[in-house]
Amino acid sequence: PKMKEDNCLHAALICLGMLYYSHAITTEKLNHSRPSLHGHHEKGKEGQVLHRSKRGWVWNQFFVIEEYTGPDPVLVGRLHSDIDSGDGNIKYILSGEGAGIIFVIDDKSGNIHATKTLDREERAQYTLTAQAVDRNTNRPLEPPSEFIVKVQDINDNPPEFLHENYHANVPERSNVGTSVIQVTASDADDPTYGNSAKLVYSILEGQPYFSVEAQTGIIRTALPNMDREAKEEYHVVIQAKDMGGHMGGLSGTTKVTITLTDVNDNPPKFPQSVYQMSVSEAAVPGEEVGRVKAKDPDIGENGLVAYSIIDGDGMDMFEITTDYETQEGVVKLKKLLDFETKKSYSLKVEAANVHIDPKFISNGPFKDTVTVKISVEDADEPPVFLKPSYIFEVQENAASGTVVGKVHAKDPDAANSAIRYSIDRHTDLERYFIINAEDGNIKTIKALDREEIAWHNISVFAVEVHKQHQEAKVPVAIKVVDVNDNAPKFAAAYEAFVCENARSNQQFITISADDKDDSANGPRFIFSLPPEIIHNPNFTLRDNRDNTASVLVRREGFSRQKQDLYLLPIVISDGGLPPMSSTNTLTIRVCGCDSNGSLLSCNAEAYILNAGLSTGALIAILACIVILLVIVVLFVTLKRQKKEPLIVFEEEDVRENIITYDDEGGGEEDTEAFDIATLQNPDGINGFIPRKDIKPEYQYMPRPGLRPAPNSVDVDDFINTRIQEADNDPTAPPYDSIQIYGYEGRGSVAGSLSSLESATTDSDLDYDYLQNWGPRFKKLADLYGSKDTFDDDS
């Protein structure tokens, strides 16, 4: 009903306005649009008469109300000229913006009507031109004159906000009146006419939290201490109404979403006073034990919490770090635990905000504490050796079964299981040691030699009897203690040289010794000559007492012809308990020297060669020469035998000239054939020219008269007949040829066809089958048959 009343009132106001403006325009046109046809006289100050010039027509600007929806075109105004006498001879013409389309004129009366509904927001005014002409001649009776038609505004546009939805933020706990956001609406109506565009803002939703200024549209907080943790987001509806907010005005609304931003106004707080955790004693340092979390309803950096341990008997055993992704305190193990030593620990953990807002320091303190109790759980631990490593000593050459030392391990668990010991054989491949599985005593299996291996590094396992998977390993180092069991020897293979012209007491070599034993059983070395040659007339020895000795010449003059080599035994003793000694032989050669003592020659045979060669040397040289001569003769003989033919048939006619080479044919792989032109057919001597190898045009048939009888036994006639047929047959291949090969082929499946060495080597072939071939092959059977057969035939 209210809306209907507003629409009726609106329509009534429009009608009243139209009537008012029509009356005003009519009155003005009656008063001003009728100029006088005669001059108008006015008196001046001094009685002068002033003449006013005549005007054809005068009018003010016209007005038309927008959005008029009446049944008839609305009358805009009337044009009238003073020269119009009403007889219809004057014709009024309208031109300009909208003329003939929006505005039409009655050419007789001059009335102007608007034929369409006008919208001021689309166009506020129109400029038109009026003219009066003679109806018959169209001659202008008045000069054209412009006038303006203004569209009168009505309140037909509601206010509209710039945005349909607004988003704004304001810190929580803000004071009352804190500005949040300003919203702005606009009205398309004419702001200079009436109150159609005068807007007033009001809040429809959002009380009592927010308010809005009626004139500016600024939204402000209306309640103090609004808590984001209680409610974070608010939806506010703002209305803008024209007509100054009075009844009948149009309105528009917008939605504003206001979010309270967080401030650090809440301290962290643990949800419980005590946390219970447990950890196995087998845990390693760095392993996580558990987590605690203090809840802080603030967000972002205002909700960051840092954790620390401030008290408790487990401060040295545990540590706490902060997981900033989950805001949790992570309790971790710091050191190894022992259930048998201590079964529980207590920690006092503090959680504090990282960033504190001084404005809300009165809400503090911004931290909280909690007690964390950690119980240690017993774990099945492997055996533990009493020492991390063992070092034992044993003398070398000790008898088998000598005790080296003892290792000991125990089960740290409350069960205290029995332990069994064993040696890791990968560390004792030679099996020098054995361990007692019950008590851990290590003994030797065989004698040890320090000079071979001075240290033995083995590993010993300790395993629980009932839990084989629980084992421990400990390194054991065994030092082999040295025993003086090696006598000293020369440090090198010494060979001394003494000059024939050496002087008495002249030193010619210094020797030293070496001992495989340890330094305690080695130097200092003592050098001496054996007692039996202590008065040696040729050489003497001097101990330098620095583990070296010098050998000196006792007499003057030596001769290589008499004796060029001397062997001097030297006794060397070490400093061990008891001491050990050895006799070493020094080889001394007599050499020729110049006057300065430089060696020239130490060869004793040089004097003998000057006298001539010995008989034995001459015999050896002659024997070598004779052997060489015999070898040469045998070689030449064998070569000659190979060149002689094995069988010579003087009675046979050799039909081919055969060129013999001293190399064997190459088989299938050889492709270097001998030049066939070097062969000569014996028939060519008698004037017979051999045929060329061409294919004849006819098929030659051999003469039947030349074919011997099948039962013929004359081999020579048979062969000659065949040769003649072949020579006269143009379709047969060429006459016989021989191919010579330059090398022995490889890969032939056939064996060698050579018989060069058949006379000198025993053949393993059996040719007895030739006896069965008949009389034609009797000659071959005689040549290649067995010896018995040959003898019988002969």
Side-chain angles (χ1 to χ4, degrees):
K2 182 178 181 181
M3 185 177 294
K4 291 182 177 179
E5 292 178 358
D6 292 340
N7 292 334
C8 294
L9 181 61
H10 189 196
L13 290 174
I14 292 175
C15 293
L16 291 176
M18 292 176 62
L19 294 175
Y20 171 77
Y21 285 115
S22 300
H23 177 71
I25 292 172
T26 305
T27 304
E28 288 185 0
K29 299 304 293 182
L30 293 175
N31 294 331
H32 300 287
S33 298
R34 296 177 180 177
S36 176
L37 296 176
H38 304 283
H40 182 75
H41 300 275
E42 293 183 358
K43 291 183 178 181
K45 294 181 180 180
E46 297 179 355
Q48 295 180 359
V49 178
L50 300 177
H51 297 276
R52 185 174 61 183
S53 60
K54 177 183 176 182
R55 294 186 60 187
W57 54 31
V58 178
W59 60 80
N60 293 334
Q61 57 185 354
F62 295 157
F63 295 89
V64 60
I65 298 177
E66 67 170 338
E67 304 294 345
Y68 175 74
T69 58
D72 300 324
V74 62
L75 177 64
V76 177
R78 181 183 179 185
L79 298 181
H80 186 74
S81 176
D82 291 341
I83 60 175
D84 186 4
S85 58
D87 54 1
N89 293 326
I90 296 178
K91 179 180 179 181
Y92 295 97
I93 300 173
L94 184 66
S95 63
E97 296 175 347
I101 300 173
I102 299 175
F103 304 101
V104 294
I105 189 171
D106 186 348
D107 58 355
K108 292 182 179 181
S109 63
N111 292 331
I112 301 173
H113 292 82
T115 62
K116 293 184 179 181
T117 302
L118 303 180
D119 187 1
R120 189 201 67 84
E121 286 71 39
E122 181 179 347
R123 185 158 188 175
Q125 66 181 20
Y126 297 86
T127 301
L128 300 172
T129 301
Q131 190 174 14
V133 297
D134 186 272
R135 184 176 296 273
N136 297 320
T137 62
N138 286 330
R139 182 177 59 85
L141 301 177
E142 295 280 353
S145 179
E146 287 186 354
F147 64 96
I148 295 174
V149 176
K150 286 189 174 183
V151 181
Q152 185 68 46
D153 180 55
I154 63 173
N155 190 17
D156 60 342
N157 291 279
E160 293 182 358
F161 284 92
L162 299 180
H163 302 285
E164 184 177 356
N165 293 287
Y166 289 84
H167 296 274
N169 299 323
V170 63
E172 63 173 334
R173 308 284 182 182
S174 296
N175 296 327
V176 175
T178 301
S179 175
V180 179
I181 191 175
Q182 182 178 15
V183 294
T184 304
S186 60
D187 197 321
D189 294 325
D190 189 1
T192 62
Y193 178 76
N195 294 327
S196 297
K198 184 178 181 181
L199 305 180
V200 175
Y201 298 93
S202 61
I203 184 168
L204 301 182
E205 295 181 14
Q207 297 97 341
Y209 307 103
F210 300 95
S211 62
V212 63
E213 291 183 356
Q215 305 301 326
T216 62
I218 297 175
I219 301 174
R220 299 182 183 273
T221 58
L223 281 182
N225 298 323
M226 284 192 293
D227 190 4
R228 185 200 66 83
E229 289 71 34
K231 186 176 181 181
E232 182 177 6
E233 191 173 79
Y234 297 84
H235 298 282
V236 178
V237 178
I238 302 297
Q239 181 191 60
K241 191 174 184 180
D242 58 12
M243 299 299 293
H246 294 91
M247 184 178 296
L250 303 179
S251 64
T253 60
T254 186
K255 294 180 180 179
V256 183
T257 302
I258 301 176
T259 302
L260 298 183
T261 58
D262 184 65
V263 297
N264 191 10
D265 57 339
N266 295 279
K269 189 172 183 59
F270 287 101
Q272 59 197 63
S273 59
V274 178
Y275 283 87
Q276 295 286 347
M277 298 179 184
S278 61
V279 60
S280 173
E281 64 173 334
V284 296
E287 188 172 335
E288 181 178 328
V289 178
R291 294 187 173 220
V292 297
K293 184 174 183 179
K295 295 183 178 180
D296 190 333
D298 297 322
I299 60 175
E301 66 176 15
N302 297 319
L304 294 179
V305 179
Y307 298 87
S308 61
I309 299 175
I310 60 176
D311 197 5
D313 57 359
M315 293 183 65
D316 297 333
M317 303 300 295
F318 301 92
E319 62 182 356
I320 190 169
T321 59
T322 303
D323 186 347
Y324 287 103
E325 292 184 1
T326 61
Q327 291 298 301
E328 293 177 319
V330 183
V331 181
K332 295 182 179 180
L333 184 62
K334 192 175 180 181
K335 296 180 180 179
L336 290 175
L337 301 172
D338 186 8
F339 174 80
E340 289 73 26
T341 302
K342 189 173 177 62
K343 297 179 176 58
S344 64
Y345 295 90
S346 179
L347 301 174
K348 189 175 183 180
V349 177
E350 180 184 80
N353 277 139
V354 178
H355 303 282
I356 299 177
D357 193 343
K359 298 179 181 179
F360 306 97
I361 194 67
S362 59
N363 295 2
F366 287 85
K367 58 185 177 180
D368 193 15
T369 58
V370 71
T371 301
V372 179
K373 293 184 178 181
I374 303 173
S375 59
V376 181
E377 297 178 348
D378 187 20
D380 189 7
E381 300 176 88
V384 177
F385 284 94
L386 299 184
K387 295 182 180 180
S389 62
Y390 291 87
I391 299 178
F392 300 128
E393 292 183 355
V394 62
Q395 285 190 342
E396 66 174 327
N397 302 325
S400 177
T402 301
V403 176
V404 177
K406 181 180 181 180
V407 297
H408 183 67
K410 66 175 183 178
D411 184 9
D413 299 322
N416 195 16
S417 301
I419 305 298
R420 295 186 65 85
Y421 303 93
S422 62
I423 295 177
D424 184 1
R425 288 305 172 188
H426 293 91
T427 61
D428 186 26
L429 296 176
E430 300 296 330
R431 294 184 176 271
Y432 287 104
F433 307 98
I434 191 172
I435 190 170
N436 190 314
E438 305 295 335
D439 57 13
N441 278 320
I442 302 175
K443 298 179 181 180
T444 60
I445 300 177
K446 52 187 178 181
L448 306 177
D449 187 2
R450 189 204 69 85
E451 287 70 41
E452 183 180 352
I453 302 177
W455 284 86
H456 293 268
N457 296 307
I458 65 174
S459 297
V460 175
F461 289 112
V463 182
E464 294 183 16
V465 175
H466 302 293
K467 299 175 182 178
Q468 297 294 328
H469 65 282
Q470 294 290 3
E471 70 174 14
K473 186 177 181 181
V474 68
V476 178
I478 301 174
K479 179 182 179 183
V480 181
V481 180
D482 183 49
V483 175
N484 192 17
D485 58 347
N486 290 278
K489 296 180 180 180
F490 279 158
Y494 293 108
E495 186 175 7
F497 301 93
V498 64
C499 294
E500 289 181 306
N501 56 356
R503 299 185 304 274
S504 178
N505 293 327
Q506 180 180 354
Q507 175 183 337
F508 60 89
I509 189 172
T510 299
I511 60 176
S512 61
D514 191 12
D515 196 333
K516 294 182 179 180
D517 291 323
D518 196 7
S519 58
N521 294 315
R524 138 171 129 78
F525 299 119
I526 300 174
F527 299 87
S528 63
L529 295 176
E532 63 271 12
I533 63 168
I534 194 171
H535 299 292
N536 188 307
N538 298 317
F539 305 100
T540 184
L541 185 69
R542 182 181 65 201
D543 193 339
N544 297 327
R545 298 182 179 274
D546 60 353
N547 297 324
T548 64
S550 299
V551 183
L552 297 87
V553 178
R554 174 167 284 188
R555 66 181 177 85
E556 294 184 359
F558 293 88
S559 176
R560 283 184 288 175
Q561 290 79 8
K562 293 181 179 180
Q563 186 175 353
D564 63 340
L565 186 66
Y566 293 88
L567 301 177
L568 181 64
I570 299 176
V571 179
I572 308 175
S573 301
D574 59 20
L577 292 176
M580 292 193 71
S581 62
S582 65
T583 301
N584 301 266
T585 301
L586 177 64
T587 302
I588 304 174
R589 292 186 178 275
V590 179
C591 301
C593 303
D594 57 12
S595 59
N596 296 328
S598 301
L599 296 177
L600 296 177
S601 175
C602 296
N603 192 354
E605 285 75 14
Y607 297 95
I608 301 173
L609 292 175
N610 294 333
L613 295 174
S614 62
T615 303
L618 293 175
I619 293 174
I621 293 173
L622 290 175
C624 291
I625 293 174
V626 171
I627 292 171
L628 290 174
L629 290 175
V630 171
I631 293 173
V632 171
V633 172
L634 291 175
F635 180 79
V636 172
T637 302
L638 291 175
K639 293 291 286 184
R640 289 181 179 180
Q641 289 180 356
K642 290 182 181 180
K643 292 182 179 180
E644 295 178 0
L646 296 177
I647 303 172
V648 179
F649 299 97
E650 296 180 358
E651 68 275 9
E652 293 182 3
D653 184 10
V654 179
R655 305 303 300 270
E656 292 87 9
N657 293 330
I658 299 176
I659 300 175
T660 303
Y661 294 85
D662 58 352
D663 57 346
E664 192 167 350
E668 290 83 356
E669 290 186 3
D670 190 280
T671 58
E672 297 179 1
F674 185 78
D675 187 7
I676 197 170
T678 60
L679 301 178
Q680 182 179 5
N681 193 330
D683 295 336
I685 301 174
N686 300 325
F688 178 77
I689 299 175
R691 64 178 175 82
K692 294 183 180 180
D693 188 14
I694 58 175
K695 186 175 180 180
E697 297 179 356
Y698 60 91
Q699 185 67 28
Y700 174 80
M701 297 299 293
R703 290 174 297 176
L706 297 177
R707 187 179 304 274
N711 297 327
S712 175
V713 295
D714 189 357
V715 177
D716 294 337
D717 293 339
F718 176 79
I719 292 175
N720 292 331
T721 302
R722 290 298 184 183
I723 291 174
Q724 187 176 2
E725 289 179 4
D727 292 338
N728 296 323
D729 186 5
T731 63
Y735 50 82
D736 297 339
S737 63
I738 298 177
Q739 292 185 344
I740 304 301
Y741 299 89
Y743 61 91
E744 178 75 16
R746 295 186 302 274
S748 176
V749 296
S752 176
L753 301 178
S754 175
S755 61
L756 296 177
E757 295 181 359
S758 61
T760 58
T761 58
D762 295 335
S763 176
D764 56 352
L765 299 177
D766 186 9
Y767 297 96
D768 293 339
Y769 61 89
L770 295 175
Q771 299 293 336
N772 301 325
W773 284 17
R776 296 183 180 181
F777 299 96
K778 181 176 182 302
K779 184 70 70 176
L780 291 176
D782 293 340
L783 292 174
Y784 294 95
S786 62
K787 184 177 181 183
D788 297 336
T789 306
F790 181 80
D791 294 339
D792 295 338
D793 294 340
S794 62

